[in-house]
Amino acid sequence: MSTIKDIAKYTGLSVATISKYLNGGNVLPENRKLLEKAVKKLDYRMNHIARGLKTRKSLTVGVLIPRLNNIFYSTLISHIEIALSAAGYSTIICAYQDDPDTELARLDFLLGKGVDGLLFIPLGSSSKCFNLLTASNVPVVMVDRTFEGIECDAVLSDNFGAAYNTAGYLSQNGHRRIGVILGPEGVYTADERHQGYTQAVRDFNLDPEPELIQRGNYGIDSGRSCMEKFLSMKNRPSAVFVTNYEMTIGAIIALEYGNIKIPDEVSIIGFDNLELAQTIKPPLTIVTQRLNKIAVEAVKLLLDRLRGNSGDNVTVKKFSTELIVRDSVKRI
Amino acid sequence: MSTIKDIAKYTGLSVATISKYLNGGNVLPENRKLLEKAVKKLDYRMNHIARGLKTRKSLTVGVLIPRLNNIFYSTLISHIEIALSAAGYSTIICAYQDDPDTELARLDFLLGKGVDGLLFIPLGSSSKCFNLLTASNVPVVMVDRTFEGIECDAVLSDNFGAAYNTAGYLSQNGHRRIGVILGPEGVYTADERHQGYTQAVRDFNLDPEPELIQRGNYGIDSGRSCMEKFLSMKNRPSAVFVTNYEMTIGAIIALEYGNIKIPDEVSIIGFDNLELAQTIKPPLTIVTQRLNKIAVEAVKLLLDRLRGNSGDNVTVKKFSTELIVRDSVKRI
DNA sequence: ATGAAAGCGCTAACAG
DNA sequence: CTGTTAGCGCTTTCAT
């Protein structure tokens, strides 16, 4: 592997000139030619490590997420990676497996790696990252979830609205007993959706029974057991909505298993995954989030910070969700 | 951010001693204490960029894959990331969106980034990466797919066996006209599965009609249109097997849409995704790959290379697939 | 066990 | 436009 010095030797020019050339500066046409030839001939490739040491930039962004084996996150990351690489950044991915200690450790790891910026889907209120985050100076954009009380850019879905409108839609269709399967307490999105739901219960005069709110852990099994709880109630909900993809799968498995007809016996609204929705019989009514927009906006905000054109105040964007109506809700 | 020099100033020791200490070398107990205190007090954190420049190691592994918004890859990456981070490596992910030029560009990018090693799921025979790959000296482990003629470690599924055995299973159940929906020609796994299928056609005396082999592009739509082609044949296959998750979804959508009963009218075997399989009615018989084992083995092989205990000859491991029998195949 | 010094490959004043 | 030079933060002989 040849270095800038080898090029200098080969061309007779100084390393400074070569550095300038490599960074798009002006050099004499003849020297440009010479350099192009030398670069090709010596198969020169920039050592980004060395450059990074000098410039204090790694052109690397850390992406810290709960898990990777989850279609919601992996789709989001896919869009993020495309947007970042288009801007010349590489993406270091760390998953913390839903664990607060791992979350902190991975954050520390990324910071230590010298990432220029961070895209972060934090655990939620049980997160231990607040201090480390505020102490470090790397720009952070929260994605999908955020912390209460932290001062940084965030790009979120309108989770409150998603839950509120979904319950509203069910109410319009005559449902009064509406079950909801939420994520764990303390997870930002789950809490917001919870509030949207309870507000809808008030506004639309829905049945306020506490057992209509079940909490899963976003896994398939938990979706299944939550739905089974609903089915075992003396007075079942007439409709259930589930707030992520995996739990939606679990809920449907429970219904299949119990031989419950959708939507005749129970109406159901799923979350996040259009593809799944179409394979189910009947096709599922679902709430989808604008993952592409969220990813692109988050990357944009981060790049603005990295390039220093952001000003002092933070930006928080919320994207509305979309209700895609199919056949899994019965009008009663 | 404090550096090793600040520590030197603070403790009165030399940078050499401090470097030694930081790397686990022996120092006098009293100095050790002093150093621990200094590190804490000055909030010292190693600059990995600087270290990397000197040691020529980045403790970073590149992972180059076709796409990220695909449950097969994202699950694989999830396992890979866990294994790599346990070994102290960070994972730079690049997706090439199934495009040969992007594949080459991203490979070049990763090599330029100074990754210590590479985990690579290449496009296949239309890949343009051969030269760059052999020219570079970074250790590479192929995952899931490999190149013909390249000399490097690889961890694969037994794709030939998967297709052969699946066709065999269908044949045992009395099927003679067996349709298969494969990936594109030139993709390693698709080619191997193709061979497995045609060998089974010979060995089990199946209907050898060429139209029974359809080629999709691994997308949902292509799965759907391939299945529609089967359905529109005057003489339909009695069973179809589909060779990835997304195309399986598409095939099922086609069946739902055409109101075709599974397995009474068409038997079907899917691929890769156990979760999906359970939400379908009836539950789907599927072929699954041992993603966790593949990921762990690939990381192990790469780490062995990075640590220099590998010897000269390459290792190619093949993991068998597993047929999970449910109710989507009819005995005829 | 510790320290002095050289240098990894590159950039950025500064001078010419 | 080009060259000289001084480092970025760390590791690594080689002395001591």
Side-chain angles (χ1 to χ4, degrees), chain B residues 100-128:
Chain B
D101 294 316
T102 311
E103 185 190 24
L104 184 60
R106 304 307 284 152
L107 174 61
D108 193 53
F109 177 83
L110 283 172
L111 260 17
K113 274 285 177 179
V115 295
D116 294 341
L118 211 53
L119 258 22
F120 188 12
I121 307 182
L123 190 52
S125 58
S126 60
S127 180
K128 302 173 174 175

PDB file of all heavy atoms in Angstrom, chain B residues 100-128:
ATOM      1  N   PRO B 100     -24.461  -4.614  -8.965  1.00  0.00           N
ATOM      2  CA  PRO B 100     -23.038  -4.969  -9.088  1.00  0.00           C
ATOM      3  C   PRO B 100     -22.109  -3.763  -8.959  1.00  0.00           C
ATOM      4  O   PRO B 100     -21.034  -3.882  -8.352  1.00  0.00           O
ATOM      5  CB  PRO B 100     -22.930  -5.570 -10.492  1.00  0.00           C
ATOM      6  CG  PRO B 100     -24.297  -5.738 -11.007  1.00  0.00           C
ATOM      7  CD  PRO B 100     -25.245  -4.992 -10.152  1.00  0.00           C
ATOM      8  N   ASP B 101     -22.505  -2.641  -9.523  1.00  0.00           N
ATOM      9  CA  ASP B 101     -21.627  -1.475  -9.439  1.00  0.00           C
ATOM     10  C   ASP B 101     -21.563  -0.939  -8.010  1.00  0.00           C
ATOM     11  O   ASP B 101     -20.497  -0.585  -7.515  1.00  0.00           O
ATOM     12  CB  ASP B 101     -22.113  -0.373 -10.392  1.00  0.00           C
ATOM     13  CG  ASP B 101     -21.994  -0.805 -11.846  1.00  0.00           C
ATOM     14  OD1 ASP B 101     -20.940  -1.377 -12.196  1.00  0.00           O
ATOM     15  OD2 ASP B 101     -22.947  -0.599 -12.609  1.00  0.00           O
ATOM     16  N   THR B 102     -22.712  -0.911  -7.378  1.00  0.00           N
ATOM     17  CA  THR B 102     -22.728  -0.484  -5.987  1.00  0.00           C
ATOM     18  C   THR B 102     -21.944  -1.462  -5.126  1.00  0.00           C
ATOM     19  O   THR B 102     -21.233  -1.065  -4.203  1.00  0.00           O
ATOM     20  CB  THR B 102     -24.177  -0.396  -5.467  1.00  0.00           C
ATOM     21  OG1 THR B 102     -24.952   0.342  -6.412  1.00  0.00           O
ATOM     22  CG2 THR B 102     -24.234   0.290  -4.120  1.00  0.00           C
ATOM     23  N   GLU B 103     -22.047  -2.724  -5.463  1.00  0.00           N
ATOM     24  CA  GLU B 103     -21.309  -3.740  -4.717  1.00  0.00           C
ATOM     25  C   GLU B 103     -19.815  -3.423  -4.744  1.00  0.00           C
ATOM     26  O   GLU B 103     -19.146  -3.384  -3.704  1.00  0.00           O
ATOM     27  CB  GLU B 103     -21.562  -5.121  -5.329  1.00  0.00           C
ATOM     28  CG  GLU B 103     -20.936  -6.262  -4.538  1.00  0.00           C
ATOM     29  CD  GLU B 103     -21.004  -7.585  -5.288  1.00  0.00           C
ATOM     30  OE1 GLU B 103     -21.094  -7.552  -6.532  1.00  0.00           O
ATOM     31  OE2 GLU B 103     -20.973  -8.624  -4.630  1.00  0.00           O
ATOM     32  N   LEU B 104     -19.322  -3.148  -5.935  1.00  0.00           N
ATOM     33  CA  LEU B 104     -17.911  -2.834  -6.087  1.00  0.00           C
ATOM     34  C   LEU B 104     -17.557  -1.550  -5.339  1.00  0.00           C
ATOM     35  O   LEU B 104     -16.554  -1.485  -4.616  1.00  0.00           O
ATOM     36  CB  LEU B 104     -17.578  -2.685  -7.576  1.00  0.00           C
ATOM     37  CG  LEU B 104     -16.113  -2.449  -7.919  1.00  0.00           C
ATOM     38  CD1 LEU B 104     -15.254  -3.593  -7.426  1.00  0.00           C
ATOM     39  CD2 LEU B 104     -15.944  -2.262  -9.424  1.00  0.00           C
ATOM     40  N   ALA B 105     -18.408  -0.556  -5.493  1.00  0.00           N
ATOM     41  CA  ALA B 105     -18.146   0.731  -4.851  1.00  0.00           C
ATOM     42  C   ALA B 105     -18.117   0.613  -3.333  1.00  0.00           C
ATOM     43  O   ALA B 105     -17.251   1.189  -2.663  1.00  0.00           O
ATOM     44  CB  ALA B 105     -19.219   1.743  -5.269  1.00  0.00           C
ATOM     45  N   ARG B 106     -19.030  -0.157  -2.788  1.00  0.00           N
ATOM     46  CA  ARG B 106     -19.088  -0.300  -1.340  1.00  0.00           C
ATOM     47  C   ARG B 106     -17.917  -1.129  -0.830  1.00  0.00           C
ATOM     48  O   ARG B 106     -17.404  -0.878   0.264  1.00  0.00           O
ATOM     49  CB  ARG B 106     -20.414  -0.937  -0.895  1.00  0.00           C
ATOM     50  CG  ARG B 106     -21.674  -0.222  -1.356  1.00  0.00           C
ATOM     51  CD  ARG B 106     -21.695   1.244  -0.998  1.00  0.00           C
ATOM     52  NE  ARG B 106     -21.995   1.463   0.410  1.00  0.00           N
ATOM     53  CZ  ARG B 106     -21.595   2.500   1.106  1.00  0.00           C
ATOM     54  NH1 ARG B 106     -20.832   3.413   0.545  1.00  0.00           N
ATOM     55  NH2 ARG B 106     -21.927   2.640   2.364  1.00  0.00           N
ATOM     56  N   LEU B 107     -17.528  -2.111  -1.605  1.00  0.00           N
ATOM     57  CA  LEU B 107     -16.358  -2.900  -1.225  1.00  0.00           C
ATOM     58  C   LEU B 107     -15.124  -1.997  -1.177  1.00  0.00           C
ATOM     59  O   LEU B 107     -14.346  -2.029  -0.213  1.00  0.00           O
ATOM     60  CB  LEU B 107     -16.132  -4.037  -2.231  1.00  0.00           C
ATOM     61  CG  LEU B 107     -14.860  -4.861  -2.029  1.00  0.00           C
ATOM     62  CD1 LEU B 107     -14.882  -5.545  -0.674  1.00  0.00           C
ATOM     63  CD2 LEU B 107     -14.696  -5.890  -3.140  1.00  0.00           C
ATOM     64  N   ASP B 108     -14.998  -1.194  -2.212  1.00  0.00           N
ATOM     65  CA  ASP B 108     -13.883  -0.262  -2.278  1.00  0.00           C
ATOM     66  C   ASP B 108     -13.918   0.680  -1.070  1.00  0.00           C
ATOM     67  O   ASP B 108     -12.898   0.938  -0.427  1.00  0.00           O
ATOM     68  CB  ASP B 108     -13.994   0.531  -3.578  1.00  0.00           C
ATOM     69  CG  ASP B 108     -12.724   1.290  -3.880  1.00  0.00           C
ATOM     70  OD1 ASP B 108     -11.660   0.653  -3.887  1.00  0.00           O
ATOM     71  OD2 ASP B 108     -12.797   2.514  -4.090  1.00  0.00           O
ATOM     72  N   PHE B 109     -15.087   1.153  -0.778  1.00  0.00           N
ATOM     73  CA  PHE B 109     -15.284   2.040   0.366  1.00  0.00           C
ATOM     74  C   PHE B 109     -14.821   1.381   1.660  1.00  0.00           C
ATOM     75  O   PHE B 109     -14.054   1.969   2.442  1.00  0.00           O
ATOM     76  CB  PHE B 109     -16.771   2.396   0.445  1.00  0.00           C
ATOM     77  CG  PHE B 109     -17.166   3.248   1.609  1.00  0.00           C
ATOM     78  CD1 PHE B 109     -17.022   4.627   1.554  1.00  0.00           C
ATOM     79  CD2 PHE B 109     -17.714   2.680   2.747  1.00  0.00           C
ATOM     80  CE1 PHE B 109     -17.401   5.426   2.619  1.00  0.00           C
ATOM     81  CE2 PHE B 109     -18.099   3.471   3.817  1.00  0.00           C
ATOM     82  CZ  PHE B 109     -17.937   4.845   3.755  1.00  0.00           C
ATOM     83  N   LEU B 110     -15.253   0.161   1.871  1.00  0.00           N
ATOM     84  CA  LEU B 110     -14.889  -0.544   3.106  1.00  0.00           C
ATOM     85  C   LEU B 110     -13.388  -0.787   3.186  1.00  0.00           C
ATOM     86  O   LEU B 110     -12.771  -0.595   4.234  1.00  0.00           O
ATOM     87  CB  LEU B 110     -15.633  -1.880   3.187  1.00  0.00           C
ATOM     88  CG  LEU B 110     -17.097  -1.792   3.603  1.00  0.00           C
ATOM     89  CD1 LEU B 110     -17.779  -3.141   3.465  1.00  0.00           C
ATOM     90  CD2 LEU B 110     -17.199  -1.299   5.045  1.00  0.00           C
ATOM     91  N   LEU B 111     -12.818  -1.195   2.085  1.00  0.00           N
ATOM     92  CA  LEU B 111     -11.376  -1.417   2.062  1.00  0.00           C
ATOM     93  C   LEU B 111     -10.650  -0.109   2.378  1.00  0.00           C
ATOM     94  O   LEU B 111      -9.692  -0.080   3.156  1.00  0.00           O
ATOM     95  CB  LEU B 111     -10.958  -1.939   0.678  1.00  0.00           C
ATOM     96  CG  LEU B 111     -10.730  -3.443   0.499  1.00  0.00           C
ATOM     97  CD1 LEU B 111     -11.335  -4.283   1.595  1.00  0.00           C
ATOM     98  CD2 LEU B 111     -11.151  -3.907  -0.869  1.00  0.00           C
ATOM     99  N   GLY B 112     -11.128   0.973   1.784  1.00  0.00           N
ATOM    100  CA  GLY B 112     -10.532   2.284   2.038  1.00  0.00           C
ATOM    101  C   GLY B 112     -10.667   2.708   3.486  1.00  0.00           C
ATOM    102  O   GLY B 112      -9.836   3.444   4.015  1.00  0.00           O
ATOM    103  N   LYS B 113     -11.714   2.251   4.123  1.00  0.00           N
ATOM    104  CA  LYS B 113     -11.952   2.606   5.519  1.00  0.00           C
ATOM    105  C   LYS B 113     -10.984   1.909   6.455  1.00  0.00           C
ATOM    106  O   LYS B 113     -10.954   2.167   7.647  1.00  0.00           O
ATOM    107  CB  LYS B 113     -13.379   2.211   5.908  1.00  0.00           C
ATOM    108  CG  LYS B 113     -14.396   3.257   5.584  1.00  0.00           C
ATOM    109  CD  LYS B 113     -14.310   4.411   6.578  1.00  0.00           C
ATOM    110  CE  LYS B 113     -15.315   5.483   6.178  1.00  0.00           C
ATOM    111  NZ  LYS B 113     -15.300   6.613   7.117  1.00  0.00           N
ATOM    112  N   GLY B 114     -10.255   0.967   5.923  1.00  0.00           N
ATOM    113  CA  GLY B 114      -9.289   0.269   6.739  1.00  0.00           C
ATOM    114  C   GLY B 114      -9.884  -0.768   7.671  1.00  0.00           C
ATOM    115  O   GLY B 114      -9.388  -0.975   8.782  1.00  0.00           O
ATOM    116  N   VAL B 115     -10.920  -1.429   7.224  1.00  0.00           N
ATOM    117  CA  VAL B 115     -11.448  -2.514   8.048  1.00  0.00           C
ATOM    118  C   VAL B 115     -10.402  -3.626   8.158  1.00  0.00           C
ATOM    119  O   VAL B 115      -9.646  -3.866   7.230  1.00  0.00           O
ATOM    120  CB  VAL B 115     -12.761  -3.084   7.463  1.00  0.00           C
ATOM    121  CG1 VAL B 115     -13.861  -2.036   7.489  1.00  0.00           C
ATOM    122  CG2 VAL B 115     -12.552  -3.602   6.060  1.00  0.00           C
ATOM    123  N   ASP B 116     -10.391  -4.280   9.304  1.00  0.00           N
ATOM    124  CA  ASP B 116      -9.415  -5.354   9.513  1.00  0.00           C
ATOM    125  C   ASP B 116      -9.808  -6.619   8.770  1.00  0.00           C
ATOM    126  O   ASP B 116      -8.961  -7.446   8.429  1.00  0.00           O
ATOM    127  CB  ASP B 116      -9.308  -5.692  11.000  1.00  0.00           C
ATOM    128  CG  ASP B 116      -8.714  -4.536  11.777  1.00  0.00           C
ATOM    129  OD1 ASP B 116      -8.083  -3.664  11.151  1.00  0.00           O
ATOM    130  OD2 ASP B 116      -8.883  -4.501  13.011  1.00  0.00           O
ATOM    131  N   GLY B 117     -11.103  -6.775   8.566  1.00  0.00           N
ATOM    132  CA  GLY B 117     -11.583  -7.972   7.893  1.00  0.00           C
ATOM    133  C   GLY B 117     -12.944  -7.712   7.306  1.00  0.00           C
ATOM    134  O   GLY B 117     -13.550  -6.669   7.541  1.00  0.00           O
ATOM    135  N   LEU B 118     -13.408  -8.694   6.565  1.00  0.00           N
ATOM    136  CA  LEU B 118     -14.642  -8.485   5.817  1.00  0.00           C
ATOM    137  C   LEU B 118     -15.504  -9.733   5.886  1.00  0.00           C
ATOM    138  O   LEU B 118     -15.026 -10.852   5.678  1.00  0.00           O
ATOM    139  CB  LEU B 118     -14.261  -8.195   4.366  1.00  0.00           C
ATOM    140  CG  LEU B 118     -15.132  -7.286   3.540  1.00  0.00           C
ATOM    141  CD1 LEU B 118     -15.350  -5.955   4.244  1.00  0.00           C
ATOM    142  CD2 LEU B 118     -14.487  -7.086   2.183  1.00  0.00           C
ATOM    143  N   LEU B 119     -16.753  -9.515   6.154  1.00  0.00           N
ATOM    144  CA  LEU B 119     -17.768 -10.557   6.019  1.00  0.00           C
ATOM    145  C   LEU B 119     -18.606 -10.161   4.818  1.00  0.00           C
ATOM    146  O   LEU B 119     -19.157  -9.060   4.782  1.00  0.00           O
ATOM    147  CB  LEU B 119     -18.632 -10.609   7.286  1.00  0.00           C
ATOM    148  CG  LEU B 119     -18.402 -11.689   8.337  1.00  0.00           C
ATOM    149  CD1 LEU B 119     -17.026 -12.296   8.296  1.00  0.00           C
ATOM    150  CD2 LEU B 119     -18.729 -11.176   9.730  1.00  0.00           C
ATOM    151  N   PHE B 120     -18.735 -11.048   3.885  1.00  0.00           N
ATOM    152  CA  PHE B 120     -19.224 -10.633   2.570  1.00  0.00           C
ATOM    153  C   PHE B 120     -20.273 -11.615   2.053  1.00  0.00           C
ATOM    154  O   PHE B 120     -20.021 -12.814   1.944  1.00  0.00           O
ATOM    155  CB  PHE B 120     -18.027 -10.561   1.612  1.00  0.00           C
ATOM    156  CG  PHE B 120     -18.316  -9.958   0.265  1.00  0.00           C
ATOM    157  CD1 PHE B 120     -19.501  -9.290  -0.009  1.00  0.00           C
ATOM    158  CD2 PHE B 120     -17.373 -10.057  -0.750  1.00  0.00           C
ATOM    159  CE1 PHE B 120     -19.737  -8.736  -1.252  1.00  0.00           C
ATOM    160  CE2 PHE B 120     -17.600  -9.499  -2.003  1.00  0.00           C
ATOM    161  CZ  PHE B 120     -18.796  -8.844  -2.252  1.00  0.00           C
ATOM    162  N   ILE B 121     -21.431 -11.083   1.746  1.00  0.00           N
ATOM    163  CA  ILE B 121     -22.438 -11.858   1.008  1.00  0.00           C
ATOM    164  C   ILE B 121     -22.457 -11.303  -0.401  1.00  0.00           C
ATOM    165  O   ILE B 121     -23.114 -10.294  -0.670  1.00  0.00           O
ATOM    166  CB  ILE B 121     -23.847 -11.719   1.622  1.00  0.00           C
ATOM    167  CG1 ILE B 121     -23.822 -12.052   3.106  1.00  0.00           C
ATOM    168  CG2 ILE B 121     -24.834 -12.621   0.896  1.00  0.00           C
ATOM    169  CD1 ILE B 121     -25.188 -11.997   3.776  1.00  0.00           C
ATOM    170  N   PRO B 122     -21.712 -11.911  -1.325  1.00  0.00           N
ATOM    171  CA  PRO B 122     -21.552 -11.313  -2.650  1.00  0.00           C
ATOM    172  C   PRO B 122     -22.788 -11.529  -3.526  1.00  0.00           C
ATOM    173  O   PRO B 122     -23.627 -12.384  -3.238  1.00  0.00           O
ATOM    174  CB  PRO B 122     -20.354 -12.055  -3.224  1.00  0.00           C
ATOM    175  CG  PRO B 122     -20.403 -13.385  -2.576  1.00  0.00           C
ATOM    176  CD  PRO B 122     -20.984 -13.177  -1.194  1.00  0.00           C
ATOM    177  N   LEU B 123     -22.831 -10.746  -4.560  1.00  0.00           N
ATOM    178  CA  LEU B 123     -23.955 -10.812  -5.485  1.00  0.00           C
ATOM    179  C   LEU B 123     -24.009 -12.163  -6.172  1.00  0.00           C
ATOM    180  O   LEU B 123     -25.061 -12.797  -6.258  1.00  0.00           O
ATOM    181  CB  LEU B 123     -23.788  -9.699  -6.520  1.00  0.00           C
ATOM    182  CG  LEU B 123     -24.955  -9.420  -7.440  1.00  0.00           C
ATOM    183  CD1 LEU B 123     -26.223  -9.201  -6.638  1.00  0.00           C
ATOM    184  CD2 LEU B 123     -24.654  -8.198  -8.276  1.00  0.00           C
ATOM    185  N   GLY B 124     -22.867 -12.583  -6.680  1.00  0.00           N
ATOM    186  CA  GLY B 124     -22.847 -13.856  -7.402  1.00  0.00           C
ATOM    187  C   GLY B 124     -21.975 -13.740  -8.619  1.00  0.00           C
ATOM    188  O   GLY B 124     -21.014 -12.976  -8.618  1.00  0.00           O
ATOM    189  N   SER B 125     -22.311 -14.461  -9.646  1.00  0.00           N
ATOM    190  CA  SER B 125     -21.402 -14.537 -10.789  1.00  0.00           C
ATOM    191  C   SER B 125     -21.308 -13.218 -11.548  1.00  0.00           C
ATOM    192  O   SER B 125     -20.352 -12.975 -12.270  1.00  0.00           O
ATOM    193  CB  SER B 125     -21.815 -15.656 -11.734  1.00  0.00           C
ATOM    194  OG  SER B 125     -23.131 -15.453 -12.166  1.00  0.00           O
ATOM    195  N   SER B 126     -22.280 -12.338 -11.373  1.00  0.00           N
ATOM    196  CA  SER B 126     -22.192 -11.051 -12.058  1.00  0.00           C
ATOM    197  C   SER B 126     -21.440 -10.018 -11.214  1.00  0.00           C
ATOM    198  O   SER B 126     -21.363  -8.846 -11.562  1.00  0.00           O
ATOM    199  CB  SER B 126     -23.591 -10.528 -12.381  1.00  0.00           C
ATOM    200  OG  SER B 126     -24.337 -10.365 -11.202  1.00  0.00           O
ATOM    201  N   SER B 127     -20.891 -10.488 -10.130  1.00  0.00           N
ATOM    202  CA  SER B 127     -20.142  -9.594  -9.261  1.00  0.00           C
ATOM    203  C   SER B 127     -18.854  -9.119  -9.922  1.00  0.00           C
ATOM    204  O   SER B 127     -18.216  -9.852 -10.665  1.00  0.00           O
ATOM    205  CB  SER B 127     -19.816 -10.339  -7.971  1.00  0.00           C
ATOM    206  OG  SER B 127     -19.100  -9.508  -7.109  1.00  0.00           O
ATOM    207  N   LYS B 128     -18.498  -7.890  -9.654  1.00  0.00           N
ATOM    208  CA  LYS B 128     -17.278  -7.331 -10.244  1.00  0.00           C
ATOM    209  C   LYS B 128     -16.153  -7.221  -9.213  1.00  0.00           C
ATOM    210  O   LYS B 128     -15.172  -6.529  -9.420  1.00  0.00           O
ATOM    211  CB  LYS B 128     -17.593  -5.948 -10.813  1.00  0.00           C
ATOM    212  CG  LYS B 128     -18.695  -5.952 -11.843  1.00  0.00           C
ATOM    213  CD  LYS B 128     -19.104  -4.547 -12.264  1.00  0.00           C
ATOM    214  CE  LYS B 128     -20.107  -4.621 -13.407  1.00  0.00           C
ATOM    215  NZ  LYS B 128     -20.634  -3.295 -13.771  1.00  0.00           N
TER     216      LYS B 128
END
